Amino acid sequence: MEGLYLHWDYEELFEAIRETYQEFWSEYRNGTQALARTLSEFEAVMNLGAFERSIILIAYGELLVTHSKVFHKSKEYLVNELENLNFEQVKDKATLEQLHDLDARKKVIIEKIEQKTVTTTME
């Protein structure tokens, strides 16, 4: 799994999250478990700042909406976190293009997650 870095590149962090998810998926063969472990693995990185937090939440959301069903707590958590993202806090580390990309990805995730079947069991 990924170690804690003090500086992450935009694409590098997205890629690290996808790779970590794939590693956990290979281990557990369960998307919900793999996603929960991935988010847990990057919890310390999320605490580095708004830039890292934004990327991790967007990447988490992109992975979550690939699942056929979404655990209700995962949906609640993600929607709440995405609604509270403040891209103004990211301006010092992200380019204008990256800010637009994050915002576009966020909108797609929110739209897609509303279409997902919600479950109360972690399958």
Side-chain angles (χ1 to χ4, degrees):
M1 301 313 123
E2 296 302 317
L4 178 62
Y5 293 100
L6 295 179
H7 173 74
W8 285 91
D9 175 78
Y10 185 78
E11 287 300 326
E12 175 186 55
L13 186 49
F14 273 111
E15 184 61 28
I17 295 163
R18 285 189 292 267
E19 288 175 2
T20 301
Y21 172 78
Q22 288 302 320
E23 289 174 20
F24 282 131
W25 196 93
S26 293
E27 182 179 338
Y28 296 112
R29 295 288 181 198
N30 178 302
T32 303
Q33 257 190 315
L35 197 52
R37 285 292 312 270
T38 300
L39 188 60
S40 176
E41 189 77 15
F42 284 90
E43 186 174 352
V45 178
M46 281 180 48
N47 293 330
L48 291 175
F51 176 75
E52 293 83 2
R53 181 175 193 74
S54 297
I55 293 170
I56 292 167
L57 289 170
I58 296 294
Y60 171 78
E62 289 175 337
L63 292 167
L64 183 62
V65 298
T66 65
H67 297 190
S68 58
K69 295 179 182 176
V70 176
F71 183 59
H72 71 106
K73 293 283 187 189
S74 299
K75 178 180 177 178
E76 290 170 16
Y77 169 78
L78 181 63
V79 170
N80 182 56
E81 291 296 320
L82 289 177
E83 288 175 350
N84 288 317
L85 283 181
N86 181 353
F87 294 135
E88 288 292 316
Q89 297 174 340
V90 178
K91 279 186 171 181
D92 62 327
K93 283 190 167 182
T95 66
L96 188 56
E97 182 179 322
Q98 291 168 340
L99 288 170
H100 289 300
D101 183 54
L102 286 170
D103 190 51
R105 287 170 132 170
K106 172 184 164 181
K107 289 175 183 172
V108 168
I109 294 164
I110 290 173
E111 180 181 309
K112 285 184 177 182
I113 202 163
E114 293 304 328
Q115 300 169 6
K116 291 292 178 181
T117 301
V118 177
T119 182
T120 56
T121 58
M122 290 185 72
E123 300 173 352

